[in-house]
Amino acid sequence: MKRELSADIVIIGGSTGGCAAALAAARSGCKVVMTEETKWIGGQLTNQAVPPDEHRWIEKFGCTSSYRIFRSLVRNYYKSHFPLSEKALQMPYLNPGSAIVSRISHEPRAALAALQEMLAPYIHSGKIVVLTETKAKKAESDGDQVKAVEAEHLLSGQSYVLTAPYFLDATDCGDLLPLAGVEYVTGAESQKETGEPHAREGEADPLDMQAITHCFAVDYLEGEDFTIPKPETYSFWRDYKASFWPNRQLDWTAVSPVTLEPITYGFFKEEGKFSLWEYRRLIDKSNFQKGTYEGDISLINWPQNDYWLGPVIDVDEEERKKHLEGARQLSLSLLYWMQTEAPRPDGGQGFKGLRLRTDVTGTDDGLAMYPYIRESRRIKAEFTVLEQHISTAVRGEAGAEVFPDSAGIGCYRIDLHPSTGLSTFIDISSLPFQIPLGSLIPVRVDNLLPASKNLGVTHITNGCYRLHPVEWNIGEASGCLAAYSLKRGLTPRQIRNDAGRLADFQRFLEAEGIELSWPAVHSV
């Protein structure tokens, strides 16, 4: 029996951007139905288990007000519920994991708690209905309008028919776009298409996409033995070496993303070596009173478990499942290698005390609920952001392109991991940038908006528009745009392409706490 649910805005995907979109729409008085494929809303923050990648100015400016509230709630989660050490109490900005890459590295459960707290008033009042473990299966469109989406609860088989004047695709892979017949692109564009210096030479390759990573969390108890059963494909991964890699993938030596030279990492802290353990550490036990945690907890999202042997988007279901399982097997093989064969600084082999923390990821196998997705389907948009708009090498002292239709800002290096086309890293400097409203508007469809990594960017510029605070801003801007359009009886296209309406919408965004431009800052 199909259950019909109607709302002002239907959001397919409870990702980081989806949650921000739902909050923005509900704040504007709209009723929202949001689906989520896993048990946890939050996307890369929670079910993918990846703490935020952020720019250096994040504590003072460069994100939306609601993202700042999210960060405060994460910190308050630890300050309110955990006995902090004297060291942590002295920190102006608590970083629970003291991670190298993140200024607020934390457990996915803390992010989930913060998101649930932010959504709670709207869920309790009925303004937001969240359907977890529910996936979109089909969509009905009529001309330039999406009319309905049919979704299914993955455990019970319950079907829902979701209708609304506006639909947002907030899935990490852009899953609603093909279902609704929305024009989109995937993979790597060619230089002759985009003119981007780092775009692919020769022909475009729609199946050349960034690696996915099936993350997992571990702690370490010296003297204990938590060795997992030998993974099915361990022999393959133990010997596998890509042509662009300096050694076997299961090794402490990898490629420097920026220089492309070999780099030998340290596992724990080793003199003169970059510590992988501290790289994405979720919990630094020294930030808590003695006995709170048995040891540090670290997230394993490293070059060594990037999976690039095939894409999981726009391939048949058998191929998709093969690569999803391949990513799982690689991550399990990395753990098994670390437990049994990894060289130790003391001359021994293996760290048997590495323990999978199934509670941290909320799964039986200890791996994240969903793989870390770096690259999505991307709408064919009214405006597409190119490398030439934001690259330090191209723009120089002029700064990033100024977009008069700005709907937010972001900042991160153009950071592409190895890809399924067996290409190595592209990691280049970019300038603090804006999110143009035109990149959120499909070329044809009037009532569907992107709310995650599926906006009008390229394979190259996706590399800096995909990070947590930027995805949040994208989702929030799309939620605001749908609500604003609905209340005024206008389409997003009509708002963008009329100077007076655009200016009024931008005033609305600023009143909602969305920064539209940067102060004078430098490249990253």
Side-chain angles (χ1 to χ4, degrees):
M1 187 75 174
K2 292 179 182 178
R3 184 180 169 197
E4 296 187 7
L5 293 175
S6 63
D8 297 312
I9 299 169
V10 165
I11 301 173
I12 301 299
S15 62
T16 298
C19 290
L23 284 164
R27 278 199 316 262
S28 295
C30 292
K31 183 178 178 183
V32 176
V33 171
M34 181 171 74
T35 66
E36 166 51 41
E37 190 174 337
T38 72
K39 290 187 292 186
W40 286 356
I41 59 170
Q44 54 183 329
L45 286 166
T46 59
N47 56 51
Q48 296 172 37
V50 181
D53 291 287
E54 300 170 333
H55 56 75
R56 71 185 81 164
W57 308 285
I58 194 71
E59 302 295 353
K60 296 181 179 177
F61 55 83
C63 66
T64 75
S65 294
S66 65
Y67 183 73
R68 200 172 301 286
I69 291 169
F70 164 77
R71 298 175 88 253
S72 295
L73 289 172
V74 168
R75 287 190 169 124
N76 289 339
Y77 180 83
Y78 288 99
K79 290 177 180 178
S80 299
H81 302 297
F82 292 76
L84 298 181
S85 66
E86 194 60 35
K87 178 189 87 166
L89 290 171
Q90 300 306 313
M91 291 179 181
Y93 302 111
L94 176 64
N95 185 351
S98 304
I100 295 171
V101 75
S102 178
R103 289 164 174 80
I104 187 167
S105 186
H106 56 275
E107 299 161 282
R109 291 176 291 187
L112 180 64
L115 291 170
Q116 288 174 330
E117 185 172 342
M118 294 178 79
L119 288 168
Y122 307 107
I123 291 175
H124 288 216
S125 66
K127 275 197 165 48
I128 296 178
V129 173
V130 179
L131 304 174
T132 55
E133 297 177 282
T134 300
K135 183 177 173 64
K137 296 293 186 182
K138 349 172 154 169
E140 178 191 344
S141 296
D142 183 6
D144 299 336
Q145 296 282 320
V146 180
K147 294 296 186 183
V149 172
E150 187 173 329
E152 179 181 280
H153 189 267
L154 298 174
L155 300 181
S156 70
Q158 172 68 59
S159 286
Y160 298 92
V161 176
L162 310 175
T163 57
Y166 278 89
F167 293 85
L168 273 56
D169 184 342
T171 62
D172 278 280
C173 295
D175 291 333
L176 184 55
L177 302 181
L179 297 179
V182 178
E183 293 82 358
Y184 68 90
V185 295
T186 62
E189 295 91 348
S190 67
Q191 286 184 357
K192 67 182 180 183
E193 283 180 296
T194 67
E196 294 172 301
H198 287 86
R200 184 185 180 89
E201 294 181 8
E203 297 302 312
D205 185 352
L207 294 180
D208 184 9
M209 306 176 202
Q210 284 192 70
I212 65 172
T213 305
H214 220 129
C215 305
F216 58 96
V218 290
D219 60 6
Y220 181 69
L221 305 180
E222 182 66 48
E224 301 288 342
D225 186 349
F226 299 107
T227 305
I228 63 170
K230 185 177 180 180
E232 290 177 19
T233 61
Y234 179 69
S235 297
F236 170 82
W237 288 113
R238 185 180 182 279
D239 297 331
Y240 174 73
K241 178 188 176 300
S243 60
F244 54 84
W245 217 246
N247 206 334
R248 294 179 304 182
Q249 194 163 350
L250 301 188
D251 192 87
W252 295 134
T253 298
V255 171
S256 166
V258 179
T259 68
L260 303 183
E261 295 295 319
I263 178 172
T264 299
Y265 293 103
F267 183 29
F268 297 117
K269 206 167 187 70
E270 294 180 47
E271 187 67 33
K273 292 182 180 179
F274 183 97
S275 168
L276 286 171
W277 183 258
E278 295 179 9
Y279 177 49
R280 289 192 180 275
R281 185 169 52 188
L282 302 175
I283 290 295
D284 174 359
K285 72 173 182 178
S286 71
N287 285 332
F288 302 86
Q289 290 181 21
K290 190 174 180 180
T292 305
Y293 286 93
E294 290 183 88
D296 294 351
I297 301 174
S298 189
L299 184 78
I300 312 304
N301 175 21
W302 300 344
Q304 287 90 338
N305 61 329
D306 276 0
Y307 178 88
W308 53 67
L309 292 188
V312 296
I313 293 173
D314 282 3
V315 293
D316 64 45
E317 189 61 18
E318 183 179 349
E319 185 80 356
R320 177 177 172 273
K321 287 180 177 177
K322 180 179 91 171
H323 294 310
L324 288 173
E325 180 58 22
R328 287 186 72 261
Q329 286 290 318
L330 170 56
S331 286
L332 292 170
S333 294
L334 173 59
L335 174 60
Y336 185 77
W337 174 80
M338 289 194 292
Q339 290 173 325
T340 60
E341 295 190 63
R344 296 171 58 109
D346 61 10
Q349 281 190 317
F351 299 86
K352 293 181 179 180
L354 285 171
R355 175 174 60 173
L356 261 178
R357 289 296 300 267
T358 60
D359 56 325
V360 172
T361 55
T363 60
D364 292 335
D365 64 5
L367 301 182
M369 292 178 185
Y370 200 81
Y372 182 32
I373 302 293
R374 295 183 175 89
E375 188 171 332
S376 173
R377 299 175 180 90
R378 308 181 293 275
I379 63 166
K380 288 187 177 180
E382 283 211 335
F383 183 86
T384 300
V385 182
L386 305 176
E387 182 182 351
Q388 300 92 298
H389 295 129
I390 58 173
S391 162
T392 304
V394 175
R395 298 285 304 175
E397 293 299 316
E401 184 86 17
V402 175
F403 298 125
D405 63 342
S406 174
I409 59 176
C411 183
Y412 205 77
R413 290 177 65 84
I414 296 174
D415 173 11
L416 280 78
H417 284 234
S419 70
T420 56
L422 299 183
S423 299
T424 191
F425 290 98
I426 298 174
D427 193 319
I428 53 178
S429 176
S430 68
L431 297 151
F433 53 81
Q434 295 171 308
I435 303 166
L437 189 63
S439 69
L440 305 181
I441 301 175
V443 291
R444 178 184 59 83
V445 176
D446 285 327
N447 70 331
L448 183 144
L449 299 170
S452 185
K453 297 180 281 285
N454 49 350
L455 72 165
V457 291
T458 64
H459 176 68
I460 300 297
T461 54
N462 164 75
C464 59
Y465 276 75
R466 66 180 176 83
L467 287 309
H468 305 65
V470 189
E471 183 188 331
W472 184 289
N473 195 149
I474 292 163
E476 188 167 359
S478 286
C480 285
L481 181 57
Y484 184 93
S485 300
L486 188 60
K487 290 194 171 184
R488 284 157 181 77
L490 299 168
T491 67
R493 209 178 319 280
Q494 289 171 329
I495 293 165
R496 179 190 180 237
N497 296 319
D498 180 283
R501 291 168 177 165
L502 174 61
D504 187 64
F505 176 63
Q506 289 177 315
R507 284 191 289 270
F508 169 65
L509 290 178
E510 289 181 311
E512 290 292 294
I514 297 176
E515 299 173 21
L516 302 184
S517 61
W518 281 93
V521 293
H522 301 290
S523 63
V524 292

